[in-house]
Amino acid sequence: MYFRRVGGVGLLLAMANSLSGIIWGANSVMLSIYMLSIGMSPAFIGLVLGTFSLMGALGSLIVGYLADFMDRVKLFILLSLISGSLILLMITGVPIIVSIAYLLIALFNRYVVLTAIVGEYAKQEDISDELFSLSSTFNVAFSVVGSLLAVLPGYLGRFGYDLVFLAEAASLYLTIPMVLRAVKYLDKSILNVKIERLSLRDLGRLRSSWLLKRLIPEAIIGLGAGIIIPLFSLWFYLKFHVDLASLSLVYAISNATLALGTLMAPIISRAFRSRVISVVSLEGLATVVLAVMPSIYNLPILLTLFIIRNTLMNMANPLLTSLINELAPREERGRVFGIWNMLSSIPRAVGPGLGGYLMDIGYLDLPLYLTSMLYATAVVLFYILLRDVERRMGVVYTPRFPSCLRL
């Protein structure tokens, strides 16, 4: 069983790593519409969302390096306090303040630090698949809560937005005591893997450089995702005039389905005996569904396809995270996760501006077609570059299934 394998400490770390899913769930529904309501144009919204990804890329590199250089717990606490305070500034409703605060949240990227801590524990306990899948499941479960919270502005107007931002800030602050409790039971080597000096020149000498080069398709995925994913709710709103309350319900159902899907991810991976094949299969199917969506005008069918696509695409995430965690040396794990995040974030910064512009001039479906082509290219490249990695690095699966499935 999942909970038995990860243990109490792993469960607490997984929850801490996932509580901010509330932010993802709420913002994926309401953020672009909130920005529209305070006077920002679709093109400018796309620009801000794109710059957010660029700032996230920079933050991932800086924080990833710091996570291998200084006390990870203290760094996590500091970044959590800063990020929560920046979310509270979103309540002002002033476009320039909202934009700057939102961008700075990306710069102070706390996710990289906690992922490094979770990764060290998962590697030490040999539970990478289980722990990252459970973390993803919790993340999605909390995102359901966020999606449901996003219904508040539909009933309470501006006050509803304020309540959602308060909940988002609280989700960041609450992770601090959770992490502090978990680390009491962890080996100090998990919390601190200090490199001797801080120099960007060391990035070129990483033992994991061969792995990072093979993760280049993530940049293509990032570009495709940036074009439509942050603007999906806006696409439904502009093309089908779906109101915020209905969108909130759809996103909640989608995220609840994804929560169940991510629990199945390790089972799929072990059935294929390959994380790479599993990732390729899931992302490939998701790409086919995305390519079909613009041609569907029956709204219930379209929303069903949206849920299926979201589930398939994101089921691959914990498996890829697990693969990277298994392959990266412990003293480089913070930097590897940071650079991996950066690979996706930089091109993702370009996407929303392009997607927002195309929607602004009336080409509502074109972002979906562009993303489908980019995803297809990335999936093929991912398979070509990583198909033999598991065998050569000795991380091929043995047939081991959760005890709940033994007959």
Side-chain angles (χ1 to χ4, degrees):
M1 292 289 288
Y2 266 86
F3 297 132
R4 189 180 305 163
R5 279 188 59 77
V6 302
V9 175
L11 183 62
L12 197 56
L13 286 173
M15 291 186 67
N17 200 34
S18 311
L19 191 58
S20 59
I22 291 174
I23 301 173
W24 173 46
N27 286 353
S28 61
V29 179
M30 74 169 203
L31 184 60
S32 57
I33 298 174
Y34 171 68
M35 290 178 169
L36 194 68
S37 72
I38 61 175
M40 298 168 63
S41 69
F44 186 65
I45 293 171
L47 179 62
V48 171
L49 295 178
T51 307
F52 177 87
S53 296
L54 191 61
M55 295 289 281
L58 179 61
S60 295
L61 179 61
I62 295 173
V63 175
Y65 219 101
L66 290 175
D68 287 341
F69 182 73
M70 60 183 293
D71 187 298
R72 288 174 174 171
V73 176
K74 291 180 180 178
L75 179 61
F76 174 76
I77 292 172
L78 176 62
L79 295 176
S80 297
L81 291 172
I82 293 174
S83 298
S85 301
L86 289 169
I87 287 178
L88 294 177
L89 288 177
M90 303 278 285
I91 294 175
T92 63
V94 179
I96 187 64
I97 295 177
V98 169
S99 300
I100 293 174
Y102 183 62
L103 296 178
L104 288 177
I105 291 169
L107 183 63
F108 296 104
N109 193 334
R110 58 196 283 282
Y111 173 77
V112 173
V113 187
L114 191 51
T115 301
I117 295 174
V118 173
E120 292 286 352
Y121 177 76
K123 177 70 173 179
Q124 187 177 84
E125 299 295 320
D126 192 27
I127 52 172
S128 288
D129 274 9
E130 289 81 2
L131 186 53
F132 281 114
S133 292
L134 186 61
S135 178
S136 293
T137 299
F138 284 156
N139 187 283
V140 177
F142 285 123
S143 76
V144 173
V145 177
S147 298
L148 293 174
L149 285 174
V151 77
L152 293 177
Y155 295 102
L156 301 177
R158 177 63 183 275
F159 182 61
Y161 286 115
D162 295 346
L163 290 178
V164 175
F165 288 130
L166 285 170
E168 290 183 0
S171 72
L172 296 184
Y173 294 142
L174 285 173
T175 59
I176 296 175
M178 296 173 70
V179 169
L180 287 176
R181 178 164 180 79
V183 299
K184 291 180 180 179
Y185 305 97
L186 299 182
D187 190 282
K188 297 300 181 183
S189 64
I190 293 177
L191 305 178
N192 300 294
V193 187
K194 293 187 177 182
I195 54 178
E196 295 181 357
R197 58 194 180 93
L198 188 63
S199 173
L200 291 177
R201 294 180 181 178
D202 292 338
L203 294 178
R205 295 191 290 268
L206 288 177
R207 291 162 56 197
S208 305
S209 59
W210 66 270
L211 173 61
L212 294 170
K213 292 173 183 176
R214 285 167 172 76
L215 292 174
I216 292 298
E218 282 293 292
I220 303 175
I221 291 284
L223 176 59
I227 290 174
I228 188 57
I229 302 305
L231 301 170
F232 239 135
S233 61
L234 190 60
W235 181 73
F236 281 114
Y237 183 77
L238 294 175
K239 184 174 181 178
F240 297 98
H241 308 291
V242 183
D243 59 68
L244 194 56
S246 299
L247 281 174
S248 175
L249 179 60
V250 169
Y251 272 76
I253 295 172
S254 176
N255 290 333
T257 305
L258 176 57
L260 296 175
T262 52
L263 277 176
M264 295 294 293
I267 299 173
I268 293 173
S269 182
R270 295 188 187 284
F272 281 114
R273 298 191 184 182
S274 168
R275 296 179 181 93
V276 173
I277 297 299
S278 300
V279 169
V280 168
S281 299
L282 292 168
E283 292 187 349
L285 288 172
T287 300
V288 172
V289 174
L290 180 63
V292 171
M293 286 180 64
S295 62
I296 305 298
Y297 286 86
N298 182 301
L299 192 56
I301 294 177
L302 181 63
L303 293 174
T304 301
L305 291 176
F306 170 76
I307 292 170
I308 293 172
R309 186 221 71 85
N310 184 57
T311 301
L312 290 171
M313 195 71 185
N314 289 288
M315 280 176 68
N317 288 343
L319 298 180
L320 183 55
T321 304
S322 173
L323 176 64
I324 295 170
N325 189 64
E326 290 293 314
L327 296 175
R330 61 186 302 272
E331 69 275 7
E332 296 179 1
R333 199 160 284 137
R335 282 166 288 174
V336 168
F337 279 124
I339 296 170
W340 172 44
N341 196 18
M342 184 184 68
L343 284 174
S344 174
S345 297
I346 290 179
R348 193 181 292 258
V350 179
L354 176 58
Y357 172 75
L358 292 173
M359 289 185 184
D360 211 15
I361 62 176
Y363 294 101
L364 294 180
D365 293 335
L366 189 53
L368 279 76
Y369 288 125
L370 289 175
T371 296
S372 299
M373 290 188 290
L374 289 167
Y375 277 3
T377 302
V379 169
V380 172
L381 288 175
F382 184 84
Y383 175 72
I384 292 172
L385 294 172
L386 287 171
R387 59 184 175 181
D388 294 327
V389 163
E390 290 170 299
R391 178 181 56 81
R392 287 192 288 106
M393 299 301 295
V395 292
V396 178
Y397 282 115
T398 55
R400 179 169 57 88
F401 290 87
S403 57
C404 60
L405 295 181
R406 292 174 187 156
L407 300 179

